[in-house]
Amino acid sequence: MIRILLVDDHPVVRMGLRGMLDAEPDLTVIGEASDGVEGTEIALRERPDIVLMDLRMPGGDGVEATGRILAGNREIRVMVLTTYESDRDILRAIEAGASGYLLKDASPAELADAVRAAARGETVLAPSVASTLIRQVRSPAPPALSARETEVLKLVAAGLTNADIGKRLFISEATVKTHLLRVFNKLDVADRTAAVTTAMRHDLL
């Protein structure tokens, strides 16, 4: 019997997941938590085989909880089950050690099979998530922007001119241009608009 802990801040979601999973002869839900902190405590105490972890919850981020659970017990498999599939969310979850990343539009059969696969030690990814990871490997994210470069680019995105940005940040217009040139070089772009759109695509803004 594969023992499962549900961590999600929506009671209705937990109820639906419990109903689907408990209907399978080899799966059983042994507990529920409404945030990452509670989920970590229950996981380390009850030691389930699988934790189904939501990502964004008030009172406890799912990625942080994943890291804490695995730091306390490497035998537990954490699978992210969420509605979010941004590049940043996916990479953070995988880097934290998640054994899988599924979206909540998965069918009951897909979810059950994914739980079984994770329990066998396999990595389970929704097709769109796998595509995102492949794209990231083929086209790595650009170098990180400095705090000041990010600040300048945010103001560019807000529609401010270089002169306005200089006044807002108490720096010269020439210094603003220098920061933007560095941003252009890092992002491999030629103008302000491309810099903003590229930074947003890579979750740098």
Side-chain angles (χ1 to χ4, degrees):
M1 186 68 72
I2 299 173
R3 302 166 66 252
I4 304 163
L5 170 65
L6 306 177
V7 184
D8 194 293
D9 60 320
H10 293 101
V12 173
V13 172
R14 296 199 305 271
M15 185 182 304
L17 290 172
R18 178 182 282 273
M20 285 191 293
L21 296 168
D22 280 343
E24 299 291 327
D26 57 336
L27 308 180
T28 182
V29 175
I30 57 94
E32 300 179 16
S34 59
D35 61 50
V37 173
E38 183 185 19
T40 299
E41 293 174 353
I42 296 175
L44 295 180
R45 183 179 68 241
E46 301 296 332
R47 292 181 292 178
D49 300 302
I50 302 291
V51 176
L52 285 183
M53 179 76 71
D54 193 12
L55 272 188
R56 303 183 189 178
M57 299 171 286
D61 174 82
V63 172
E64 293 176 0
T66 297
R68 288 195 298 269
I69 289 171
L70 296 177
N73 188 331
R74 298 296 302 181
E75 298 300 314
I76 297 173
R77 302 282 179 176
V78 180
M79 288 181 55
V80 170
L81 182 63
T82 183
T83 56
Y84 303 101
E85 56 176 324
S86 74
D87 291 7
R88 177 178 293 178
D89 287 330
I90 294 168
L91 291 173
R92 286 181 65 226
I94 299 302
E95 288 170 355
S99 296
Y101 196 113
L102 295 178
L103 303 178
K104 287 181 179 176
D105 60 0
S107 70
E110 289 171 336
L111 178 58
D113 287 344
V115 168
R116 294 183 184 105
R120 293 192 299 267
E122 300 174 18
T123 298
V124 184
L125 300 173
S128 61
V129 172
S131 297
T132 295
L133 289 176
I134 291 172
R135 186 177 69 249
Q136 286 288 332
V137 170
R138 290 176 177 170
S139 303
L145 303 180
S146 70
R148 180 61 93 181
E149 290 164 354
T150 300
E151 196 172 18
V152 168
L153 197 55
K154 283 181 178 178
L155 294 176
V156 169
L160 275 67
T161 65
N162 288 354
D164 291 335
I165 294 171
K167 291 176 183 177
R168 179 75 64 89
L169 300 180
F170 303 103
I171 57 178
S172 70
E173 187 173 350
T175 301
V176 173
K177 290 179 180 178
T178 298
H179 286 307
L180 283 177
L181 286 174
R182 289 174 181 164
V183 170
F184 294 171
N185 287 332
K186 286 184 177 182
L187 301 182
D188 193 24
V189 296
D191 57 55
R192 297 157 63 94
T193 300
V196 170
T197 55
T198 300
M200 292 180 68
R201 186 169 70 250
H202 290 289
D203 290 329
L204 296 176
L205 287 182

